[in-house]
Amino acid sequence: MGWIETESGGYSVALDGGTVLCRNAAGRALKQVPPKIKDDAVVVRLRQLAEWLERHERECGEQVDTWLVRSLPVPVALLARIWPDAAWQSALRDLVVAPVAADGTADMARAGFLRDVDAEKGAGIVDLDGDSVRLECESLLIPHPVLLEDLDDLREFAVELGVEQRVEQLFREVWRRPDEVTGQQWQAYAKGKFDQLRHATARAMTLGYRVRGGQTLCPLVEDGRALEAAFWLGADYPEAEAYTGALEWRDKDGRRLPLAEVGPVAWSEGERMAALLYAGRVVAGDEEELR
């Protein structure tokens, strides 16, 4: 971004990423914006722009993460419109995508790393043979990694290509449902101790999850069906000692699903939520250090 003269003092400012740079009338770069011009209209507008760009980049990443977690087909026409935006492109570039047929099924054999989207030419990818090709389709699927066959091989290939995904996909941890499970609640992450309930709820919100009625929640979609994973944290007052409880999955009507009916994406994301929260518990070594 070019230099812009401030309204007073002979200074010029510019925006570099999220940082406002400043130079004096002689053209010498300064370490920081002088206090006497911090309220200058030009400086204020640049700082507001920097805040907006940071927020926009975060929101783009969150939206792409939602498409991935819910394994929703995304129209190529939409991707073509947002691709020129650097924030959207950064979130989408190098994700593994697959063309979606008219009947809604994804052709995973033609999957590849997204490199370009054009309204007329379609989506440009590097396929799994290392060739640059164009996909002629109306929608693309951004598959959850638990749906990808030979995930370890894909990860190795991504390293060879120098792929860097801003939105976690290939290197996102996945959990797979055991072959034989019964009941409606998964107890693998129960009895995790937190000195105060507010420590657990704060961790949940920091990780991007909602907390309601003593549970942290993760909205999900599996095969077009709206679901919700719920992990018990506790419902006492915020300063009370708390212990984690069961992880369960519910449909849109609040009915608990038998564990054997939970699909691969819903299981992986629900267990991922529980594992991330459980990792913040107080362990025996921590308690001894506090004494």
Side-chain angles (χ1 to χ4, degrees):
M1 183 175 181
W3 292 94
I4 305 172
E5 291 187 7
T6 61
E7 296 181 356
S8 60
Y11 294 94
S12 298
V13 290
L15 191 62
D16 181 17
T19 304
V20 178
L21 305 179
C22 184
R23 67 182 185 185
N24 60 20
R28 182 170 62 86
L30 307 179
K31 292 184 178 179
Q32 60 185 13
V33 177
K36 63 182 178 181
I37 65 165
K38 68 176 183 178
D39 295 325
D40 185 277
V42 174
V43 176
V44 170
R45 285 198 295 270
L46 279 187
R47 283 181 172 148
Q48 290 173 339
L49 175 60
E51 292 172 359
W52 182 88
L53 289 172
E54 181 181 359
R55 184 169 63 253
H56 175 58
E57 184 174 17
R58 183 176 65 253
E59 291 171 350
C60 291
E62 290 171 352
Q63 180 59 65
V64 173
D65 187 75
T66 297
W67 290 336
L68 182 152
V69 169
R70 301 188 181 187
S71 295
L72 296 173
V74 185
V76 172
L78 171 62
L79 295 175
R81 288 189 63 183
I82 63 178
W83 187 261
D85 185 320
W88 279 110
Q89 189 175 141
S90 174
L92 290 162
R93 185 176 176 83
D94 280 332
L95 290 179
V96 175
V97 298
V100 178
D103 63 359
T105 59
D107 186 355
M108 299 306 296
R110 298 171 61 203
F113 296 95
L114 186 63
R115 290 292 171 88
D116 176 55
V117 189
D118 183 270
E120 296 181 358
K121 299 178 182 178
I125 66 168
V126 174
D127 68 17
L128 304 186
D129 292 323
D131 298 323
S132 296
V133 299
R134 287 277 175 183
L135 298 176
E136 295 183 3
C137 57
E138 292 188 0
S139 298
L140 291 175
L141 178 71
I142 305 174
H144 189 282
V146 77
L147 301 177
L148 296 171
E149 295 182 5
D150 302 321
L151 180 57
D152 290 338
D153 292 340
L154 272 173
R155 287 171 172 169
E156 290 181 10
F157 188 40
V159 172
E160 291 175 10
L161 288 177
V163 163
E164 294 183 7
Q165 296 179 331
R166 187 164 74 82
V167 173
E168 219 175 23
Q169 184 193 36
L170 285 182
F171 294 95
R172 190 187 197 94
E173 288 188 272
V174 298
W175 283 261
R176 302 184 189 277
R177 189 189 69 199
D179 292 334
E180 297 181 5
V181 287
T182 58
Q184 297 178 318
Q185 294 184 314
W186 188 241
Q187 301 288 347
Y189 301 96
K191 299 182 181 180
K193 178 184 176 182
F194 286 84
D195 284 336
Q196 296 184 20
L197 174 59
R198 63 188 180 92
H199 296 166
T201 56
R203 181 175 177 83
M205 290 185 286
T206 299
L207 291 167
Y209 298 109
R210 293 184 293 115
V211 177
R212 187 182 68 224
Q215 295 177 314
T216 182
L217 308 172
C218 178
L220 300 160
V221 174
E222 184 92 50
D223 293 330
R225 180 188 186 190
L227 303 171
E228 182 178 69
F231 182 50
W232 179 257
L233 296 180
D236 294 322
Y237 58 91
E239 290 76 20
E241 189 175 83
Y243 290 85
T244 59
L247 170 65
E248 61 187 38
W249 288 263
R250 304 188 288 242
D251 63 17
K252 64 179 182 179
D253 298 319
R255 182 182 69 89
R256 284 180 183 168
L257 299 181
L259 296 180
E261 293 182 10
V262 180
V265 175
W267 184 280
S268 184
E269 286 301 308
E271 190 163 357
R272 178 176 184 264
M273 173 181 70
L276 288 171
L277 290 167
Y278 188 77
R281 72 193 185 284
V282 175
V283 296
D286 295 334
E287 290 181 320
E288 291 175 2
E289 288 179 7
L290 293 173
R291 290 172 184 171

